[in-house]
Amino acid sequence: MDRNPSPPPPAREEDDEEEVAGGDCIGSTVYSKHWLFGVLSGLIQIVSPENTKSSSDDEEQQMELDEEMENEICRVWDMSMDEDVALFLQEFNAPDIFMGVLAKSKCPRLREICVGILGNMACFQEICVSISKDKNLGQVLLTCLYDSDPPTLLETSRLLLTCLSQTEVASVWVERIQEHPAIYDSICFIMSSSTNVDLLVKVGEVVDKLFDLDEKLMLEWIRNGAVQPLEQPQEDAEEQRVFRIVPCVLEAAKQVRSENLEGLDVYMHILQLLTTVDDGIQAIVQCPDTGKDTWNLLFDLVCHEFCQSDDPPIILQEQKTVLASVFSVLSAIYASQVEQEYRKVEKGKLDLPLIDSLIRVLQHMEHCQKKPENSAESLTEETKKSDLTQDDFHLKILKDISCEFLSNIFQVLTKETVAEGLKEGQLSKQKCSCAFQNLLPFYSPVVEDFLKILYEVDKTLAGDLEESFPSLKVQT
């Protein structure tokens, strides 16, 4: 919910303007210290022993938040985006108050708001370091990942991602998470069962950051649930759900696919990170169902959704990072030594659509990399240079991954598959020229072997291509 922060009312009507404008203001803001003290004092009262020792009849009431209190604490949530206010809250030991609320309150809305305020405060480095070094607060915040309330989970994930993004304290949180194995189950449960796209995206960003920061943790999560304990009775096995990381990531990716490209990008990058270690590749390909699900989802994305023939080439700028991850994972599966049933059947029919998609990406890339002679954009030269450098960097990564994958496919093409590709248009002269242009000179042996096969199928086309690329030495 978007809220526009507004100055809270004076603490007392009799306060004169001079006092409010002077000593009662928080930093350079117009927010009132007295008013904020009052709100925080109200929070303390909510979780005081006399209020928490209520009968079972009052438990339902504890789940609700008084409307006036909710409005006031929401104002604090808005105000905490201001650094002066955040520092003042820190000075007033507000994180300890919020920790008390989180430890004792059963009200989902109140818990969400308290974590949200801490999340805003953590955006400022000094406060982030202070929050992160508080062991007790850290423990309480991690237990919020076991919460059943999606808004609270969202704010907890946002706070955790903020802290993990701070180099000075990231390792502290990684170590804490490693010490709490149940966090793995909680995150996997969210990824595999939630329909809340915002939550899925934020949780995905946390997992992506964790895997990027610490390979050891990633390996532990890959191995979690890989083997069912032998001593576990069959009846208990059904009650105790065993999560495997890859199916959970796939389920979340399917959920966010149509609604959030950035979220899909995050989950594809998680899969890409998994393929950087052998255990991760095996986690994908060893289980037939998991391997098939992964391959089918990614194959469908590149062949039927991303960078299609009727899309303008500029679409590649929007899709370049997610495409790089998808092609990288597909390439890793393709190159794995496991004989996958889902690829053994009519393998050539899978290769040709992939070739078509890869070449189309390379064609679009050539268009994107053309520099306009006269740009009408009213941007400074420095801004243009910075943007182009970043774009070129990501496009180069995509090109390198695409070329490596394309070369792997070219190496296994048969005469029959090439003939089918010529018939269906996936290996037209224009597309072959684009492929050669990008594969040469680094993959010269692969191109030369492909050209030998092409000579057996269409000697004229092969001759034209060899003439266009004199560096090729093909003995026919």
Side-chain angles (χ1 to χ4, degrees):
M1 182 185 299
D2 294 328
R3 305 184 185 89
N4 295 317
S6 55
R12 300 184 305 274
E13 291 182 5
E14 63 268 19
D15 282 342
D16 56 42
E17 293 182 5
E18 184 176 346
E19 181 185 355
V20 173
D24 190 47
C25 290
I26 300 173
S28 60
T29 73
V30 294
Y31 300 126
S32 165
K33 292 179 184 178
H34 288 109
W35 178 85
L36 187 54
F37 285 148
V39 177
L40 294 175
S41 297
L43 275 179
I44 295 172
Q45 291 299 314
I46 289 178
V47 294
S48 62
E50 55 269 25
N51 284 336
T52 54
K53 289 180 182 177
S54 54
S55 64
S56 57
D57 294 337
D58 297 328
E59 286 186 6
E60 186 175 342
Q61 187 175 354
Q62 290 182 30
M63 298 291 288
E64 301 296 328
L65 184 60
D66 176 79
E67 184 178 353
E68 183 179 354
M69 172 57 78
E70 180 177 357
N71 291 335
E72 290 189 335
I73 195 66
C74 279
R75 283 186 183 177
V76 178
W77 192 358
D78 287 328
M79 290 162 56
S80 63
M81 292 185 290
D82 185 286
E83 186 172 8
D84 284 338
V85 175
L87 288 169
F88 184 78
L89 286 168
Q90 174 74 7
E91 182 183 346
F92 192 69
N93 294 323
D96 288 342
I97 298 174
F98 299 141
M99 179 171 64
V101 172
L102 294 171
K104 298 177 182 179
S105 176
K106 298 179 182 179
C107 174
R109 179 61 172 157
L110 182 57
R111 292 169 60 81
E112 173 205 355
I113 296 170
C114 287
V115 179
I117 294 172
L118 286 169
N120 282 352
M121 293 173 66
C123 292
F124 305 104
Q125 185 177 6
E126 177 187 337
I127 302 175
C128 182
V129 171
S130 176
I131 289 174
S132 299
K133 290 183 176 179
D134 187 329
K135 291 183 180 180
N136 293 329
L137 179 56
Q139 298 296 327
V140 170
L141 288 172
L142 287 181
T143 61
C144 291
L145 287 173
Y146 311 140
D147 208 295
S148 60
D149 179 55
T152 302
L153 288 168
L154 176 60
E155 292 306 319
T156 305
S157 301
R158 184 174 72 89
L159 169 59
L160 187 53
L161 182 63
T162 301
C163 295
L164 289 170
S165 300
Q166 284 283 355
T167 307
E168 189 175 344
V169 296
S171 61
V172 174
W173 289 97
V174 172
E175 289 174 11
R176 284 179 183 151
I177 290 170
Q178 286 176 317
E179 293 168 359
H180 290 75
I183 289 177
Y184 166 83
D185 289 325
S186 179
I187 286 179
C188 282
F189 179 76
I190 293 168
M191 291 192 296
S192 62
S193 61
S194 178
T195 58
N196 185 316
V197 172
D198 291 337
L199 174 58
L200 287 171
V201 172
K202 196 58 65 178
V203 166
E205 289 175 340
V206 170
V207 174
D208 187 43
K209 191 67 177 177
L210 285 171
F211 286 3
D212 196 37
L213 285 169
D214 195 275
E215 185 177 295
K216 181 182 175 183
L217 181 141
M218 180 172 72
L219 285 167
E220 288 175 359
W221 282 24
I222 291 170
R223 293 162 184 162
N224 279 347
V227 180
Q228 185 97 5
L230 294 176
E231 65 275 10
Q232 186 172 1
Q234 185 63 36
E235 57 270 17
D236 293 340
E238 294 187 9
E239 295 179 8
Q240 181 65 39
R241 183 175 178 184
V242 177
F243 291 106
R244 298 197 314 276
I245 188 68
V246 177
C248 295
V249 169
L250 289 176
E251 191 59 40
K254 293 173 187 175
Q255 191 68 41
V256 304
R257 173 179 177 176
S258 61
E259 297 186 47
N260 193 302
L261 178 62
E262 290 182 5
L264 182 61
D265 195 349
V266 167
Y267 281 100
M268 293 302 101
H269 191 253
I270 293 173
L271 288 176
Q272 184 181 6
L273 288 173
L274 291 174
T275 63
T276 61
V277 294
D278 186 61
D279 281 11
I281 296 175
Q282 297 307 312
I284 294 173
V285 302
Q286 273 197 333
C287 176
D289 288 343
T290 302
K292 184 177 181 180
D293 286 348
T294 306
W295 179 270
N296 287 345
L297 173 62
L298 274 57
F299 184 88
D300 189 51
L301 286 172
V302 297
C303 293
H304 303 121
E305 188 163 327
F306 291 145
C307 199
Q308 296 302 291
S309 56
D310 56 349
D311 286 333
I314 196 67
I315 195 71
L316 199 62
Q317 292 288 7
E318 180 183 338
Q319 299 173 352
K320 55 184 178 290
T321 55
V322 66
L323 275 169
S325 295
V326 172
F327 281 143
S328 180
V329 177
L330 284 172
S331 182
I333 297 174
Y334 197 91
S336 70
Q337 298 303 308
V338 179
E339 287 294 324
Q340 302 99 346
E341 292 295 329
Y342 50 91
R343 281 187 46 229
K344 284 199 292 187
V345 181
E346 299 184 298
K347 187 167 179 289
K349 291 193 175 182
L350 296 177
D351 290 340
L352 290 173
L354 286 173
I355 289 173
D356 197 41
S357 297
L358 287 161
I359 293 177
R360 187 162 58 246
V361 166
L362 293 171
Q363 289 174 324
H364 282 11
M365 197 175 299
E366 290 175 357
H367 184 279
C368 289
Q369 289 177 326
K370 289 179 181 177
K371 306 293 190 291
E373 294 182 6
N374 295 308
S375 177
E377 299 289 336
S378 58
L379 297 171
T380 66
E381 289 301 318
E382 289 186 7
T383 303
K384 289 179 188 176
K385 180 184 281 189
S386 174
D387 290 344
L388 288 172
T389 301
Q390 187 176 9
D391 286 341
D392 287 345
F393 174 74
H394 288 297
L395 286 173
K396 184 180 184 306
I397 291 176
L398 176 57
K399 179 180 177 180
D400 291 345
I401 291 172
S402 300
C403 288
E404 182 180 2
F405 191 15
L406 187 59
S407 72
N408 289 338
I409 299 176
F410 267 27
Q411 289 181 64
V412 298
L413 289 179
T414 63
K415 181 179 176 181
E416 292 73 22
T417 304
V418 171
E420 182 71 18
L422 290 171
K423 179 182 176 182
E424 298 296 329
Q426 289 106 332
L427 292 173
S428 65
K429 181 179 180 180
Q430 183 185 19
K431 290 180 179 179
C432 286
S433 295
C434 177
F436 286 15
Q437 185 72 41
N438 285 278
L439 291 175
L440 295 172
F442 298 108
Y443 298 98
S444 293
V446 174
V447 175
E448 289 170 1
D449 289 343
F450 169 76
L451 202 53
K452 289 177 185 177
I453 297 175
L454 190 58
Y455 261 112
E456 299 179 32
V457 180
D458 190 328
K459 192 171 183 178
T460 302
L461 175 58
D464 290 344
L465 288 169
E466 188 173 9
E467 187 176 337
S468 300
F469 297 91
S471 64
L472 292 173
K473 307 294 182 185
V474 180
Q475 306 244 344
T476 57

